[in-house]
């Protein structure tokens, strides 16, 4: 079963299904100040087309729902994100948990509220429309900036999964990383929503 990819509209950002129409903008976003990406894997500018092909293949296989992050102010794609790793009840096929990941933003879009609002839109769709019981978020355990951003959403830190997944850090090809795991469960969603709205209210 493929995951639906509805357009999710906010005041600062619009999340729309990732296509090759976003290639030029994402190549620009990926090419500026790459040191700002830290521990996050971001395709090189000349790899964006291949990156989109890969994400669309994963979408066709039902593995994820990829989005381009469109800055409302300029109308340009400034990054990407995705739902992925859907978990379904074996008997009914009903979706009960999902992860938000594959997230990156151009350096100039970081700290602007776009990431905060994107998380609000993704959480709201997952909990209010898909009625999931749980949303996961993971990052490299060494990525202090990403961990702080996830914690600021109100997600709960559940621990570090040792040697959990492939490292994306240059020079660590073939190595495994420790992943810090966070989650929001359905009973926590109202408080998380209020927190995210409060953080956005001053922008």
């Amino acid at each position: 079963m493929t995951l639906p990819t509805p357009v999710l509209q906010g005041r600062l950002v619009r999340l729309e299904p990732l296509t090759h129409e976003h290639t030029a903008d994402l190549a620009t976003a990926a090419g500026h100040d790459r040191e700002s990406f830290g521990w996050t894997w971001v395709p090189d500018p000349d790899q964006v087309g291949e990156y989109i092909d890969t994400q669309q293949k994963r979408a066709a296989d039902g593995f994820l729902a990829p989005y381009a992050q469109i800055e409302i102010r300029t109308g340009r794609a400034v990054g990407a994100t995705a739902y992925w790793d859907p978990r379904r009840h074996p008997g009914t096929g009903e979706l009960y948990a999902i992860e938000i990941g594959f997230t990156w933003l151009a350096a100039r879009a970081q700290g602007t509220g776009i990431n905060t609002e994107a998380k609000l839109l993704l959480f709201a769709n997952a909990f209010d429309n898909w009625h999931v019981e749980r949303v996961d978020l993971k990052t490299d355990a060494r990525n202090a900036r990403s961990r702080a951003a996830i914690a600021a959403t109100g997600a709960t830190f559940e621990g570090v999964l040792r040697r959990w997944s492939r490292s994306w850090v240059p020079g660590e090809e073939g190595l495994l990383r420790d992943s810090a795991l966070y989650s929001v469960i359905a009973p926590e969603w109202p408080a998380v929503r209020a927190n995210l709205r409060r953080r956005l209210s001053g922008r």
Side-chain angles (χ1 to χ4, degrees):
M1 285 185 265
T2 59
L3 284 166
T5 316
V7 174
L8 304 175
Q9 177 79 36
R11 183 172 56 88
L12 302 174
V13 64
R14 180 175 67 256
L15 303 181
E16 58 185 42
L18 180 66
T19 72
H20 282 283
E21 292 182 2
H22 303 116
T23 301
D25 283 353
L26 291 181
T28 299
H32 179 64
D33 189 11
R34 291 188 62 85
E35 290 186 3
S36 70
F37 300 137
W39 305 96
T40 303
W41 179 78
V42 177
D44 289 329
D46 61 356
Q47 295 176 331
V48 168
E50 181 181 350
Y51 164 79
I52 293 173
D53 286 339
T54 299
Q55 296 297 71
Q56 290 183 337
K57 173 63 165 57
R58 290 168 170 160
D61 290 341
F63 183 67
L64 87 167
Y67 282 97
Q69 301 197 63
I70 310 300
E71 184 180 44
I72 298 295
R73 182 177 61 85
T74 63
R76 297 178 68 91
V78 292
T81 191
Y83 289 116
W84 73 293
D85 192 20
R87 275 98 76 204
R88 300 179 184 274
H89 289 289
T92 65
E94 182 181 359
L95 184 70
Y96 68 87
I98 195 80
E99 183 167 340
I100 294 170
F102 291 96
T103 300
W104 60 274
L105 278 172
R108 69 171 186 80
Q110 296 173 20
T112 63
I114 285 177
N115 181 61
T116 299
E117 188 173 61
K119 291 298 188 294
L120 176 60
L121 294 169
L122 291 165
F123 282 137
N125 181 63
F127 285 115
D128 298 339
N129 297 332
W130 293 348
H131 306 292
V132 301
E133 289 296 324
R134 174 186 171 98
V135 174
D136 298 341
L137 304 100
K138 289 200 298 286
T139 189
D140 192 308
R142 300 166 293 182
N143 191 341
R145 181 174 182 174
S146 178
R147 291 181 65 169
I150 294 172
T153 68
T156 297
F157 173 58
E158 294 189 334
V160 173
L161 305 172
R162 297 180 300 167
R163 297 194 177 185
W164 179 254
S165 64
R166 170 186 175 185
S167 174
W168 296 103
V169 177
E172 294 187 357
E173 292 79 7
L175 300 181
L176 298 176
R177 75 176 198 189
D178 295 348
S179 293
L181 175 62
Y182 297 77
S183 70
V184 178
I185 59 175
E188 299 167 343
W189 165 230
V192 170
R193 177 174 52 204
N195 171 59
L196 291 170
R197 286 176 173 171
R198 184 167 55 249
R199 293 181 59 206
L200 288 166
S201 63
R203 294 186 178 274

